[in-house]
Amino acid sequence: MKSLEKWASIAMVNLGIVAMLGFIMRSKLLFPLPFIDFKHTLHAHSHFAFSGWVSLALLALMTFQLLPAKTSGKPIYKWLLAGIFLNAAGMLVSFLCQGYGAFSIAFSTLFIFVTYGFAYVFIKDLNRSPVNKATRLLSISSFIYLALSSVGPFTLAYLLATKSPNVVLYKDAIYTYLHLQYNGFFSLAVFALLINKLGLSNGKTFAFARLLTYSVIPSMFMSYLWHYPNFWISTIAIIGSLALVACAISFILIIPTLKLQTATFNPIVRKIGLIAMLAFILKTVLQSLTIIPSLGPLVFTNRPVIIGFLHLVLLGFISLYILAHFIQDELLTLQKSTHFGLWLFVSGIFLNEVVLMAQGLGFMLMLSSAIMQWLLWVASICLMTGAVVLAFNNINRLRFPLPAFKTTTRTFSQS
């Protein structure tokens, strides 16, 4: 447990750094900050959010909660998690200093190869571990999609090396990478942890796990609709859309079981978890709607909508689930300041989504307002402040044990 606490603490600090970079970017759009390179900061922000926050948190949780203690205690996992963190830190510094350059590309490539090694070791150990079949399917598939997502960065590297003007392949490489990360690795890992946490092993849960797993590849073809693809790509995209609808329905059917199994959880965990699951349903429904001919291409050329969707998944669904999981497992101590930081973070997510969607609608209607950038700046302040408060409380708890806030006296379910 001490090892997991350490990695959770590091991941929380990384979330604070990610939020601070977001605030810096929003400030750059409003104030003259000549010493800040927006593109360099953007690349550092996105790469570190994926590697230093989400990937590190999910991989640590999967290692120490899906594998037996004897297996997760093997030195190889300490080195693999250290490799994830060090390469993430390397990407953070190098992207801030040089953008895409020799060092940032080197750290990005090393990160990918570390994830290959992690996938190989973890899958081999998981196959010998006593987890239910839904957790096993989701976990193994999440690592497969994590490995497959590297086709995106390698394609981009090829295009940059050859100085290719192929804009279609460039965008498709980005969309492929994002899809396999967000809807593949991140989403499947979250539900593997949730199903394992709750000990769900009924038929409905396994049906949902299969639909979620098998919908990833066909729904990926929906990301290619922006350039009016051929018949076969369109057909697979339609299948992907239907699979997403079925996935959403299947998940709704297991909600009563989720409510029953979390009845004894801390109230704030249930509230934050509910928001995360609602975000998952919303993202699945919105994603399925891009199959509509008049809507898909319009969405994929609308930057505020794309950013809003990505933040809905990364912040509203993935990050809130991780925070709820951390709290339930007492990896994040509940104090008054923790409540403040958590709800400020949630408020930042909500404001960010509302404004980005309003911006996207304005883009479609050819309308704009300067107040939008200011509202997004306020949202970034909420996100940064909330994340920093949570990170500080987590470090403080590990160094100087403090009495927990009274809500932690309620009964926690055991992992």
Side-chain angles (χ1 to χ4, degrees):
M1 187 64 176
K2 289 295 182 183
S3 294
L4 180 54
E5 286 182 351
K6 178 184 71 174
W7 291 115
S9 180
I10 293 173
M12 289 302 304
V13 172
N14 293 349
L15 174 60
I17 295 172
V18 170
M20 283 190 281
L21 292 175
F23 167 72
I24 291 171
M25 286 192 296
R26 288 298 174 193
S27 299
K28 174 69 175 178
L29 295 174
L30 292 171
F31 308 106
L33 301 172
F35 52 91
I36 299 294
D37 186 295
F38 184 85
K39 285 189 176 180
H40 291 184
T41 307
L42 174 61
H43 293 316
H45 170 76
S46 58
H47 282 80
F48 198 62
F50 278 36
S51 59
W53 161 234
V54 176
S55 293
L56 183 63
L58 290 177
L59 292 176
L61 286 171
M62 294 174 80
T63 298
F64 293 104
Q65 296 193 336
L66 302 187
L67 300 178
K70 184 178 179 180
T71 304
S72 62
K74 294 192 301 186
I76 185 64
Y77 285 106
K78 178 176 68 177
W79 291 108
L80 286 170
L81 287 168
I84 293 292
F85 170 65
L86 291 175
N87 282 296
M91 283 189 279
L92 171 66
V93 175
S94 56
F95 274 114
L96 282 174
C97 294
Q98 66 174 184
Y100 273 102
F103 288 105
S104 57
I105 291 174
F107 280 117
S108 301
T109 304
L110 284 172
F111 181 85
I112 290 172
F113 284 113
V114 172
T115 62
Y116 288 167
F118 211 121
Y120 173 77
V121 174
F122 183 89
I123 290 174
K124 185 173 66 172
D125 285 338
L126 186 71
N127 279 326
R128 296 194 292 261
S129 302
V131 295
N132 64 59
K133 59 182 182 179
T135 299
R136 191 183 307 278
L137 173 64
L138 290 167
S139 301
I140 293 175
S141 300
S142 71
F143 275 96
I144 291 173
Y145 290 133
L146 172 61
L148 288 176
S149 70
S150 63
V151 71
F154 285 139
T155 301
L156 292 177
Y158 166 77
L159 293 175
L160 290 172
T162 59
K163 298 181 180 179
S164 171
N166 193 332
V167 177
V168 172
L169 185 58
Y170 178 83
K171 286 190 175 183
D172 282 349
I174 294 175
Y175 289 147
T176 299
Y177 171 73
L178 292 175
H179 178 85
L180 291 174
Q181 286 275 319
Y182 278 75
N183 303 299
F185 170 49
F186 294 166
S187 296
L188 269 61
V190 161
F191 281 107
L193 289 166
L194 177 62
I195 289 172
N196 179 75
K197 178 73 178 173
L198 302 181
L200 302 179
S201 58
N202 57 43
K204 288 182 179 180
T205 302
F206 188 60
F208 165 70
R210 283 189 298 182
L211 280 170
L212 183 63
T213 300
Y214 301 148
S215 69
V216 174
I217 295 300
S219 63
M220 181 175 67
F221 284 77
M222 298 170 65
S223 302
Y224 310 143
L225 295 175
W226 68 276
H227 53 70
Y228 304 100
N230 61 36
F231 170 79
W232 292 110
I233 292 179
S234 298
T235 301
I236 298 174
I238 292 172
I239 294 172
S241 177
L242 295 174
L244 288 174
V245 172
C247 186
I249 294 172
S250 179
F251 178 72
I252 291 172
L253 291 177
I254 68 171
I255 287 179
T257 304
L258 295 179
K259 290 177 64 177
L260 180 63
Q261 293 296 108
T262 58
T264 59
F265 278 28
N266 189 289
I268 195 170
V269 172
R270 298 182 68 190
K271 291 174 184 176
I272 298 301
L274 175 61
I275 296 172
M277 293 303 108
L278 289 175
F280 167 73
I281 295 174
L282 180 60
K283 82 94 182 172
T284 304
V285 172
L286 292 176
Q287 190 181 356
S288 68
L289 293 177
T290 58
I291 195 66
I292 300 174
S294 60
L295 183 62
L298 187 61
V299 167
F300 285 108
T301 57
N302 192 322
R303 183 175 174 80
V305 171
I306 293 174
I307 295 174
F309 179 80
L310 295 178
H311 280 84
L312 172 68
V313 181
L314 192 69
L315 294 177
F317 170 39
I318 306 297
S319 293
L320 288 186
Y321 174 81
I322 293 172
L323 291 175
H325 198 111
F326 278 2
I327 294 170
Q328 181 61 25
D329 286 350
E330 300 181 307
L331 299 169
L332 184 59
T333 302
L334 273 178
Q335 306 170 41
K336 289 183 178 180
S337 56
T338 314
H339 281 253
F340 169 75
L342 190 58
W343 288 116
L344 191 60
F345 190 79
V346 171
S347 299
I349 294 173
F350 181 78
L351 179 59
N352 191 64
E353 289 301 312
V354 170
V355 177
L356 283 171
M357 290 304 145
Q359 236 184 0
L361 182 60
F363 177 84
M364 295 178 187
L365 301 175
M366 292 184 289
L367 300 172
S368 63
S369 172
I371 196 174
M372 295 297 183
Q373 291 296 344
W374 287 99
L375 290 174
L376 289 172
W377 184 66
V378 172
S380 71
I381 293 174
C382 293
L383 289 167
M384 178 186 66
T385 306
V388 169
V389 168
L390 293 174
F392 177 80
N393 282 355
N394 211 37
I395 295 173
N396 197 45
R397 180 189 72 118
L398 292 176
R399 291 182 176 178
F400 309 103
L402 297 174
F405 190 55
K406 64 180 182 179
T407 57
T408 60
T409 59
R410 293 177 65 93
T411 301
F412 285 83
S413 70
Q414 299 300 315
S415 299

